[in-house]
């Protein structure tokens, strides 16, 4: 197993007391469609974690995360509105790595270095199991979406494009 994927699995066990199974795929899981094909599920059952930077307002410069269904796109205006900011933009890869401890393409929905406010796409609650990144662009783990909401300390709110 890739060292970062193994580190993620260890962190989950240490922080939450649960054991997860990490699956790795040679073909990679960089997109929701590729991840869904790799695990054999609908694209909508992929829990993509997107980290964005807020601009303006009291939270200017703060990073927040959106865990969205792979079938949906994160609406940056909706994120900004939800967090009372003037705008939101994709976070820089360097800042994401520095703040959450994971690189773009493999950012898991859990076990960030720094706790950041997180929202959760209600579409994911329609599934018994969803799949999130496990620390690398080729590793995934399966989890019950309600458990994921709890562990990620996320607010369930629709911040996806219509």
């Amino acid at each position: 197993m890739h060292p970062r994927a193994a580190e993620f699995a260890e962190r989950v066990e240490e922080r939450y007391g649960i054991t997860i199974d990490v699956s790795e795929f040679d073909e990679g899981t960089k997109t929701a469609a590729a991840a869904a094909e790799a695990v054999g599920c609908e694209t909508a059952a992929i829990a993509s974690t997107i980290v964005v930077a807020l601009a303006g307002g009291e939270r200017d410069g703060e990073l927040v995360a959106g865990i969205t269904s792979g079938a949906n796109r994160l609406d940056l205006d909706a994120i900004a509105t939800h967090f009372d900011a003037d705008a939101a933009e994709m976070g820089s890869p360097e800042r994401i790595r520095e703040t959450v401890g994971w690189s773009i393409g493999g950012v898991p929905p859990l076990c960030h270095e720094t706790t950041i406010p997180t929202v959760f796409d209600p579409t994911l609650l329609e599934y018994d199991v969803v799949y999130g990144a496990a620390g690398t662009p080729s590793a995934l783990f399966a989890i019950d979406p309600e458990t994921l909401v709890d562990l990620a300390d996320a607010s369930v709110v629709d911040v996806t494009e219509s």
Side-chain angles (χ1 to χ4, degrees):
M1 181 180 299
H2 188 281
R4 293 292 284 162
E7 178 184 350
F8 173 71
E10 289 170 11
R11 283 188 189 185
V12 169
E13 190 161 354
E14 288 171 7
R15 286 190 190 179
Y16 308 110
I18 62 171
T19 301
I20 57 166
D21 289 323
V22 173
S23 299
E24 294 183 286
F25 303 91
D26 291 337
E27 62 275 11
T29 57
K30 288 184 181 181
T31 67
E37 185 173 324
V39 297
C41 71
E42 294 179 37
T43 302
I46 299 300
S48 300
T49 304
I50 312 292
V51 180
V52 300
L54 301 176
E58 291 181 23
R59 298 180 116 161
D60 186 51
E62 187 174 341
L63 291 182
V64 298
I67 302 170
T68 62
S69 164
N72 295 332
R73 290 184 53 97
L74 189 66
D75 183 332
L76 294 175
D77 291 336
I79 284 277
T81 298
H82 179 75
F83 287 105
D84 295 322
D86 296 334
E89 61 187 20
M90 300 306 287
S92 76
E94 298 80 19
R95 183 147 179 248
I96 291 170
R97 172 79 170 100
E98 179 182 293
T99 303
V100 300
W102 306 98
S103 297
I104 290 177
V107 176
L110 308 167
C111 296
H112 299 158
E113 290 289 326
T114 303
T115 301
I116 59 175
T118 302
V119 293
F120 190 90
D121 183 348
T123 301
L124 292 165
L125 295 173
E126 297 171 13
Y127 295 89
D128 293 331
V129 174
V130 296
Y131 300 86
T136 76
S138 60
L140 296 170
F141 73 104
I143 190 166
D144 168 78
E146 291 182 13
T147 300
L148 182 54
V149 168
D150 290 340
L151 298 180
D153 194 25
S155 299
V156 178
V157 59
D158 189 358
V159 290
T160 62
E161 293 181 354
S162 304

